[in-house]
Amino acid sequence: MNKRKLSLVSMLLTTLGILLLISNTNTVKAESINDYIINNKVQPAAIQNREGTFGVWSGYENGVGKPEGVVIHETAMDNTDAETLVASFNNIWKQQSVYVHAFVDDKEIINIHNTDYIVWGAGATANSKFIQVELCRVPSGDYDKFTKSIVNQAYYAASKLLQYNLPDTPGVTVMSHHQTSLKWKQTDHVDPDTYFPTWGYSMDQMNDLISYFYNNLKNTGYAYGTNETGNSNGVDDKAVIKTKNTNGNFAPLVAFNDDGSVTNINNRGLGNDTFWQTDQTRDLNGVTYHRVATNEWVDSQYIVG
Ligand SMILES: [Zn+2]
C-alpha cells in the first residue's frame, strides 16, 4: 500500500467514522427523548377547560360520557401554537366540519369541548369512539419545546383514560390518527407519523410516555410517581387534583386580586371528575384554594380523592 492509497483509505475511514458518528448521535437522540423527559421530570401544563364554540352535543356510540379512548393527532402546521389554533377552530368549524377536544403545545393544554361528547377530528367511526387531541408543531430543532409539547399531549391522553376509567392499551384505547385511517379507511391522514420522525420520535415512544404517566397517575396521583418536581429546592411541590362539584357540571374558579380578595371567574370552570395539576395553595377566610393556572384557583371543597 503506497502513501497515496493509505491517505485515500484513511480519508474513507474518516468519512465513514463521521457518518457513523452522525447516525449514532441521531440514534442516541431518538432513544433518549423519553429518558430525558423522565430524568428531568419535565412538567406537564395544567389542563385548561375553555369551552369553545362547537355547538354539537352528541354522545359517543356507547353514550354521553362513554369515550373508548384517545386519538393522537398533530396539526401539520409549522409554528402555529395552541392559542392560535383554538381561536381559528372556534371560527372555522362550521365551514370546514372539523373540531377536536384539545390542542396542546409546549406551553398549554387547552380543552375546548367537553370530552363527554364527540368531536369531528377523524372519520365517522373514530369520531364516535374517541377523545381527540392535537399536538401543535414547535420550531424545528428546539428539543426543549418539543419535549414539553409531547409531555403535554401524553399527560392529557393519560389523564383522559383515567378520567373515564379506561385501560391504557396502545392501538386500542390509544390510537394515532394514522392508525384510525388504516383501520376504518375513512380518512387518509397519517399524523403524527410524518412529524414525529423529524424529531427522531415515534408513536411507539409516545405510547411509552402515555403509559408511564398513566401508571404513575393511577398509582400515586403524580405524573412522575412522586411529588418532587426535580427542582433541588423542592419548594413548588406539584400534585394532581380531581375536581367534582356535586351541585353542578363544573367546579368554579376564582382569581386572586391584588388586595388578597377573590373574584369569581365566570367564563370557565373545571369539569367534574377531571384531573388538574396544581402547584400552590392559598388560604382566605378559612378556605383553601388550589392553583391550576397562573391566576385560577379552585376551592378545596370541589376536590375529591
Ligand atoms: Zn389528525
Side-chain angles (χ1 to χ4, degrees):
M1 203 178 272
N2 65 29
K3 225 178 173 182
R4 189 152 175 269
K5 267 190 186 154
L6 196 66
S7 78
L8 259 178
V9 169
S10 85
M11 259 178 70
L12 271 171
L13 283 175
T14 309
T15 312
L16 192 67
I18 289 168
L19 284 173
L20 279 174
L21 195 69
I22 290 169
S23 77
N24 246 339
T25 311
N26 282 340
T27 313
V28 169
K29 234 179 212 168
E31 286 172 357
S32 66
I33 287 176
N34 283 351
D35 286 345
Y36 170 85
I37 286 169
I38 291 164
N39 291 336
N40 291 281
K41 296 188 168 72
V42 176
Q43 293 297 318
I47 298 173
Q48 302 173 50
N49 193 6
R50 289 194 223 163
E51 200 57 52
T53 59
F54 190 59
V56 175
W57 298 97
S58 304
Y60 297 90
E61 64 179 9
N62 290 342
V64 172
K66 301 235 167 89
E68 294 163 56
V70 181
V71 175
I72 300 296
H73 295 265
E74 71 86 11
T75 65
M77 295 173 74
D78 287 336
N79 303 330
T80 310
D81 68 8
E83 292 287 356
T84 305
L85 283 164
V86 163
S88 157
F89 269 56
N90 277 334
N91 278 326
I92 56 137
W93 69 266
K94 259 185 205 164
Q95 294 89 327
Q96 306 209 356
S97 297
V98 62
Y99 208 76
V100 292
H101 288 106
F103 283 95
V104 308
D105 60 18
D106 56 303
K107 305 177 290 291
E108 295 182 288
I109 303 174
I110 312 176
N111 195 98
I112 52 173
H113 196 58
N114 187 327
T115 48
D116 283 355
Y117 302 89
I118 66 153
V119 287
W120 299 338
T125 307
N127 290 343
S128 73
K129 292 173 179 287
F130 294 113
I131 294 165
Q132 310 199 38
V133 54
E134 290 274 0
L135 177 74
C136 296
R137 291 189 174 190
V138 293
S140 138
D142 191 333
Y143 275 86
D144 180 51
K145 286 191 169 146
F146 180 68
T147 54
K148 285 176 178 160
S149 70
I150 57 174
V151 160
N152 285 340
Q153 188 169 40
Y155 175 77
Y156 177 86
S159 299
K160 286 294 166 185
L161 292 175
L162 287 165
Q163 180 186 341
Y164 292 100
N165 216 1
L166 293 164
D168 168 35
T169 314
V172 179
T173 61
V174 179
M175 295 181 82
S176 65
H177 190 172
H178 191 185
Q179 286 175 310
T180 70
S181 294
L182 292 172
K183 185 159 187 184
W184 291 295
K185 300 184 171 50
Q186 293 166 335
T187 64
D188 57 5
H189 291 210
V190 298
D191 57 291
D193 289 341
T194 43
Y195 178 61
F196 279 172
T198 66
W199 297 92
Y201 204 64
S202 68
M203 187 60 200
D204 284 343
Q205 288 168 312
M206 169 54 71
N207 277 317
D208 288 346
L209 192 59
I210 292 170
S211 299
Y212 178 82
F213 288 146
Y214 179 91
N215 291 326
N216 281 335
L217 287 169
K218 187 173 187 176
N219 296 327
T220 69
Y222 299 102
Y224 291 94
T226 159
N227 63 0
E228 291 167 25
T229 60
N231 294 342
S232 53
N233 63 23
V235 173
D236 56 345
D237 280 359
K238 302 210 176 187
V240 174
I241 55 170
K242 186 180 182 182
T243 50
K244 190 173 196 82
N245 177 3
T246 49
N247 299 314
N249 295 325
F250 293 99
L253 290 166
V254 301
F256 270 90
N257 304 312
D258 289 341
D259 65 5
S261 63
V262 293
T263 301
N264 292 327
I265 297 173
N266 294 319
N267 63 347
R268 70 182 77 136
L270 306 180
N272 284 337
D273 297 313
T274 57
F275 292 88
W276 304 87
Q277 188 185 5
T278 180
D279 65 346
Q280 288 182 29
T281 58
R282 197 163 160 176
D283 294 317
L284 178 68
N285 301 328
V287 176
T288 300
Y289 295 91
H290 297 253
R291 188 167 91 149
V292 294
T294 307
N295 191 11
E296 295 181 4
W297 304 72
V298 60
D299 183 330
S300 55
Q301 68 167 297
Y302 303 114
I303 296 171
V304 293

